[in-house]
Amino acid sequence: MSDAPATPAPEHAPAGAFAPLRRTVFLVLWGATILGNTGSFMRDVASAWLVTDLSASPAAVAAIQAAAMLPVFLLAIPAGVLSDILDRRRFLILIQLALGGVSLSLAILAHTGLITVWSLIALTFLGGVGAALMAPTWQSIVPELVPRAELRSAVALNSLGINIARSIGPAVGGLLLAAFGAAVTYGADVASYIVVIAALWWWRRAPSAEDELSERFSGAFRAGLRYARASRELHLVLLRAVFFFAFASSVWALLPLVARQLLKGDAAYYGLLLGAVGAGAIVGALLLPPLRARLNADGLLLAAAVVSGAATAALALAPPPPLALLVLLALGAAWIIALTTLNATAQAILPNWVRGRALAVYLTVFNGTMAGGSILWGIVAQQIGVAATLAAAGAGLAVAGLLLHRVALPAGDDDLTPSLHWPEPLLATPVDTDRGPVLILIEYQVAGDERPAFLAALRRLSAARRRDGAYAWGVTEDAADPRLMVEWFMVESWAEHLRQHRRVSHADADVQAEVARFHQGEAPPRVRHLIGAEHLPRG
């Protein structure tokens, strides 16, 4: 067993585009995931083509795409909670074992000739369940492998690795499918899981410290939803993602029919089309560093929407096979630019304590939009045809990108590490951690002419209070002394308030310092903690 380091190198390490590959743990896991994703894409190309043999219905073809993505929509948030409260390494190993079992079942059914459209959809759905559990957890370990300065590069390399697999997997899968059949293709995917499990087993991740404030599932679930509801930065990322993926899902839902009906290709050619998307994604990932030097995140997303829309519409014209490969090459480049931009922005705006849960919200929106879009475009294609559907989706994607360009993505440069600047609460006697609710009062003395500016700053602080655990927040004034302003917020338990002490970031501390500057009292603002009484006398 290797003694590979479990913690990232110091912050002064170089932050170039390929700097994370100098870190052994990241390199090993990155290489293993490329192989694992290659097997997954081989499985997917076999399933997508096999369903066209079993049924010519566009709705059935689109249902396979939806079955793969719908579980992520349904389960990503609970999976994100688990990724934040369980040992992520062990959790990933269990998921890989389960996914290997799904692919083994597909191989057996294909070999015996017992596979049907419904069994294919059901097993694809189970594979989607595994993907739903894995995705937020896998993304959450990235900050454990590299320092913050290399996080965006690591996210970009993860996307590059996925698309290296996307370029290899479908092409190899198509060749295996054409030469040996679906059973062998599924078997190759089973073998890839063994490699990923071995890499995860080799990784010596430092265990998380257990203490009395460790979160339980239900409380962690509520805390994650509160954070997502209060984070305006996350809302902006989700809004841009919804409009991009709603239209972009049309290509992924209908590509098997594009290959078979519009371009008159076979399984091997379908694999080449998917391989062209992956190769284009590699090109796009390599172009990202120089593009970032010229364009901000909003410019990159606009360019990706326009190029993706044009490529989608071009496929509707049934171009010659070589030209179709070039179109999908451009589509792949635009796709990875959009995906990496949105994903890196989401990673940059999230503190570590809620990373898995908040990323799960992003993945829920992403996969829910892709699943819903796949079903919608499949139904539309059944009514008006594949070509007309692609033309409409391409135009909609470009228009949506132009209209939403003014909705700026967050910069993601705030310091979200814990500031730990809150003093420990004063207690007359020890308090059980499960007691609650807890009402926190902060008293400020504010001059009358500074009230508007004070209230504006305080409302900015309210978002941080809610993100870090408050389920209610408000501000009041003393009727007898208008200079006395009281900020109040409520948390569900004493333990949750103590967790707030650990969650407050340096960025939040800066906002709190701005609010405190309005206080004119000789002492700091007075803080009081009121806890729900354990025993109330009966009336």
Side-chain angles (χ1 to χ4, degrees):
M1 201 67 69
S2 171
D3 292 324
T7 56
E11 288 289 334
H12 62 264
F18 296 97
L21 295 179
R22 299 178 187 144
R23 308 189 185 280
T24 304
V25 175
F26 181 86
L27 178 62
V28 169
L29 293 177
W30 185 73
T33 55
I34 290 177
L35 189 57
N37 284 320
T38 298
S40 297
F41 285 119
M42 292 165 62
R43 178 199 66 202
D44 292 344
V45 75
S47 296
W49 193 260
L50 193 56
V51 76
T52 64
D53 285 336
L54 297 171
S55 173
S57 167
V61 175
I64 290 293
Q65 303 296 326
M69 296 171 184
L70 188 59
V72 184
F73 172 71
L74 297 174
L75 300 175
I77 295 177
V81 175
L82 293 174
S83 77
D84 281 335
I85 65 176
L86 297 179
D87 183 288
R88 290 168 177 166
R89 170 180 166 271
R90 294 178 181 176
F91 191 41
L92 285 170
I93 290 174
L94 289 174
I95 295 168
Q96 296 297 310
L97 288 169
L99 286 172
V102 169
S103 292
L104 182 61
S105 299
L106 285 167
I108 293 172
L109 288 175
H111 178 69
T112 57
L114 298 177
I115 200 161
T116 64
V117 170
W118 288 109
S119 64
L120 190 58
I121 290 174
L123 286 168
T124 299
F125 183 85
L126 290 177
V129 170
L133 295 173
M134 181 176 64
T137 309
W138 200 278
Q139 293 194 40
S140 296
I141 69 171
V142 176
E144 299 184 37
L145 309 179
V146 299
R148 181 175 175 82
E150 296 178 8
L151 181 58
R152 288 183 183 269
S153 296
V155 171
L157 282 169
N158 271 352
S159 297
L160 174 63
I162 289 172
N163 287 283
I164 290 173
R166 192 190 299 276
S167 67
I168 298 171
V172 175
L175 292 174
L176 283 177
L177 186 62
F180 302 105
V184 172
T185 310
Y186 290 133
D189 182 39
V190 174
S192 73
Y193 288 115
I194 298 174
V195 176
V196 179
I197 292 169
L200 288 167
W201 192 269
W202 166 85
W203 175 32
R204 298 291 86 195
R205 179 179 187 260
S208 301
E210 282 287 330
D211 61 30
E212 63 178 356
L213 296 183
S214 295
E215 293 183 274
R216 301 298 180 258
F217 183 88
S218 59
F221 186 89
R222 292 191 298 273
L225 291 182
R226 278 196 298 268
Y227 184 95
R229 188 166 57 245
S231 175
R232 182 177 181 275
E233 292 83 0
L234 183 60
H235 298 167
L236 292 173
V237 176
L238 298 180
L239 176 67
R240 299 295 296 273
V242 163
F243 279 91
F244 184 89
F245 296 124
F247 292 101
S249 62
S250 60
V251 174
W252 303 109
L254 300 175
L255 193 57
L257 295 176
V258 172
R260 171 162 279 189
Q261 295 180 8
L262 295 185
L263 304 179
K264 311 301 181 186
D266 57 9
Y269 182 65
Y270 173 59
L272 286 176
L273 290 177
L274 288 175
V277 175
I282 294 173
V283 172
L286 295 175
L287 289 175
L288 259 178
L291 285 174
R292 282 198 186 115
R294 295 175 175 270
L295 299 172
N296 60 13
D298 297 295
L300 289 171
L301 201 54
L302 174 61
V306 171
V307 172
S308 296
T312 302
L315 289 176
L317 302 176
L323 183 57
L325 291 173
L326 292 177
V327 169
L328 286 170
L329 195 75
L331 181 68
W335 174 264
I336 196 60
I337 288 171
L339 199 63
T340 300
T341 299
L342 290 166
N343 195 302
T345 303
Q347 287 271 17
I349 63 174
L350 298 175
N352 194 54
W353 70 267
V354 76
R355 186 178 301 276
R357 283 162 279 183
L359 284 174
V361 173
Y362 169 77
L363 291 170
T364 297
V365 170
F366 166 64
N367 286 278
T369 304
M370 290 289 288
S374 293
I375 294 172
L376 174 63
W377 296 119
I379 294 172
V380 172
Q382 196 149 328
Q383 299 299 317
I384 67 173
V386 173
T389 300
L390 290 174
L397 181 54
V399 170
L402 289 167
L403 292 177
L404 288 172
H405 181 58
R406 293 182 179 273
V407 182
L409 288 168
D413 51 9
D414 290 336
D415 184 355
L416 301 179
T417 56
S419 63
L420 303 177
H421 73 284
W422 283 9
E424 287 297 311
L426 296 177
L427 300 175
T429 59
V431 177
D432 292 338
T433 56
D434 60 352
R435 279 188 61 186
V438 181
L439 173 64
I440 297 92
L441 306 176
I442 305 102
E443 299 178 358
Y444 305 90
Q445 294 286 338
V446 182
D449 58 345
E450 291 189 333
R451 281 166 55 97
F454 168 75
L455 290 173
L458 199 59
R459 285 192 171 85
R460 288 196 298 275
L461 182 59
S462 72
R465 306 289 199 206
R466 294 178 188 274
R467 287 196 305 266
D468 291 341
Y471 65 82
W473 177 93
V475 58
T476 60
E477 65 177 32
D478 190 331
D481 181 8
R483 295 177 66 253
L484 178 59
M485 307 291 293
V486 180
E487 178 197 7
W488 61 269
F489 57 94
M490 299 187 72
V491 293
E492 61 185 28
S493 68
W494 185 245
E496 188 68 3
H497 179 58
L498 294 179
R499 293 185 193 112
Q500 277 188 304
H501 281 245
R502 300 181 180 183
R503 294 169 181 169
V504 176
S505 69
H506 286 281
D508 297 336
D510 291 340
V511 181
Q512 290 178 21
E514 181 184 351
V515 170
R517 281 196 291 270
F518 291 96
H519 176 64
Q520 296 185 340
E522 294 182 2
R526 181 186 181 189
V527 180
R528 290 192 289 167
H529 300 82
L530 307 181
I531 309 175
E534 291 184 292
H535 302 289
L536 293 176
R538 295 183 181 274

